[in-house]
Amino acid sequence: MSELQGVEAVVLVGGKGTRLRPLTLSAPKPMLPTAGVPFLTHLLSRIREAGITHVVLGTSYKAEVFEEHFGDGAALGLELEYVVEEVPLDTAGAIRNVAHKLREPDVMVFNGDILSGVDLRAVVGTHREAGADVTLHLVRVDDPRRFGCVPTDADGRVTAFLEKTEDPPTDQINAGCYVFRREVVEGIPAGRPVSVERETFPGLLASGARVQGHVDSSYWLDLGTPAAFVRGSADLVLGVAPTAALALRGEALVLGGAEVHPDAVVRGGATIGAGCTVAAGAVVDGAVLFDGAVVGEAARVERSVLGANSLVQAGAVVTDAVIGDGAVVGARCELVGGVRVWPGVVLPEAGVRFSADV
């Protein structure tokens, strides 16, 4: 792909990922293993694929982890720079905080926890054709009540920013990807918290600025919850969600050094991390196993995350759950329905059940 001239990218990765605890106690959300690599790798690969090479990461929580892993970005064909947010500055404040690193006329801004299939070049095209000050990627969703809605007129101009409501006037929501003219970024107040949704965008509309919508129905998922994280990882493995970071897609991804018994079943886009063990008769369906996790004989792990070096013993059932690093789920335990086990916790044999029989 040829270089996309006059555009650079900002990726906001400063959040604490509290909804994904305990997984995010040890790593920032964008660095969690997702289909075998840190989630951020998938986003960076798509940015590079679109022809953008200069990327600034706005970091905060565990900021050092990003640079330790990605360095200067050369391995991905990128020029990466890092800016640490010392105090929380909210969405627009975080964008303003990296302004001194910017040098191109157009700045593409990404939330670092969104998995999206939008055509990035097409968003920039919409921005330039409209002569917009800011362009928002808007995605159509089946149930927009959980999101703020963004209506547009016949020319695609944004007309309002509406809070969550039981009766939304449109199915278009803010998808967490924007193109700013650099002067607009520099016009955001510096050194204090500023929200794009509550202050920057409404202020631009009130001043008569051109705020454009790029509307599509591409794949879109906010990875903020354990259920969404697991689904996103599985969709990447299965080929439902786009990435340029995976060479192979299929029913499962088994990383180097993992041992899966021939009598085990691994399916549904599951990822088996490096050094994991899946024993005979076990079923791992649509789950994410971090490096070194062990699933015992005849255990079932479905739509769940097993942290690094965790252990699910024989006959246990783990469904829609999160098991922290180094935790032990005793034989014949049943963990279902969103339960979270903190790192290092040891549950005794049959110690937690949902059904009456033991």
Side-chain angles (χ1 to χ4, degrees):
M1 178 71 75
S2 61
E3 220 169 288
L4 190 52
Q5 298 298 324
V7 189
E8 58 202 335
V10 170
V11 184
L12 304 178
V13 290
K16 291 188 174 179
T18 52
R19 291 182 296 163
L20 277 172
R21 285 180 182 163
L23 301 176
T24 48
L25 295 176
S26 56
K29 178 165 50 173
M31 295 302 292
L32 292 176
T34 315
V37 295
F39 172 70
L40 185 57
T41 309
H42 297 290
L43 176 55
L44 292 175
S45 77
R46 294 201 67 238
I47 289 170
R48 180 65 189 90
E49 188 181 46
I52 299 170
T53 56
H54 180 226
V55 182
V56 183
L57 296 185
T59 65
S60 178
Y61 176 64
K62 296 188 180 292
E64 68 287 349
V65 175
F66 295 95
E67 190 163 5
E68 286 169 5
H69 183 86
F70 291 108
D72 63 3
L76 294 170
L78 296 169
E79 179 192 350
L80 281 183
E81 295 192 83
Y82 304 85
V83 178
V84 180
E85 190 179 310
E86 302 294 350
V87 295
L89 294 170
D90 211 336
T91 44
I95 298 167
R96 178 64 180 85
N97 195 49
V98 307
H100 63 287
K101 294 286 189 184
L102 302 177
R103 55 200 188 211
E104 302 292 352
D106 292 322
V107 183
M108 202 160 201
V109 178
F110 298 87
N111 287 352
D113 53 2
I114 300 292
L115 182 57
S116 167
V118 67
D119 182 334
L120 302 183
R121 283 184 165 240
V123 180
V124 175
T126 296
H127 178 73
R128 290 175 170 174
E129 287 158 22
D133 295 292
V134 178
T135 298
L136 287 75
H137 173 216
L138 306 177
V139 68
R140 294 191 177 100
V141 295
D142 292 334
D143 182 6
R145 289 176 300 177
R146 296 185 297 117
F147 306 95
C149 292
V150 186
T152 51
D153 67 14
D155 295 324
R157 285 185 78 151
V158 172
T159 56
F161 291 89
L162 306 173
E163 296 292 330
K164 296 173 187 175
T165 170
E166 275 302 303
D167 188 22
T170 176
D171 61 355
Q172 298 172 182
I173 66 162
N174 178 357
C177 168
Y178 321 112
V179 184
F180 281 77
R181 281 197 308 109
R182 184 151 54 94
E183 293 86 345
V184 176
V185 173
E186 290 164 350
I188 297 169
R192 69 168 175 86
V194 186
S195 161
V196 287
E197 300 89 352
R198 291 186 297 277
E199 185 173 343
T200 304
F201 293 156
L204 287 167
L205 282 187
S207 71
R210 177 104 193 192
V211 182
Q212 192 74 12
H214 177 90
V215 184
D216 72 1
S217 300
S218 60
Y219 182 98
W220 185 84
L221 188 64
D222 176 348
L223 297 191
T225 66
F229 173 77
V230 169
R231 184 182 144 205
S233 182
D235 284 350
L236 284 161
V237 173
L238 292 167
V240 177
T243 178
L246 285 182
L248 296 172
R249 312 290 190 98
E251 268 293 300
L253 176 65
V254 180
L255 300 182
E259 294 183 13
V260 177
H261 193 279
D263 294 334
V265 176
V266 178
R267 63 190 178 205
T271 296
I272 310 300
C276 288
T277 302
V278 180
V283 176
V284 179
D285 190 349
V288 180
L289 275 57
F290 290 0
D291 292 355
V294 175
V295 179
E297 289 187 11
R300 295 184 68 88
V301 180
E302 300 172 326
R303 299 182 304 278
S304 298
V305 185
L306 304 188
N309 303 308
S310 59
L311 169 60
V312 175
Q313 292 182 335
V317 175
V318 178
T319 303
D320 300 308
V322 176
I323 310 301
D325 295 349
V328 176
V329 177
R332 295 181 296 115
C333 282
E334 286 180 331
L335 303 180
V336 304
V339 72
R340 303 171 194 233
V341 177
W342 249 241
V345 169
V346 177
L347 301 178
E349 180 173 347
V352 178
R353 301 277 299 173
F354 263 76
S355 50
D357 58 315
V358 183

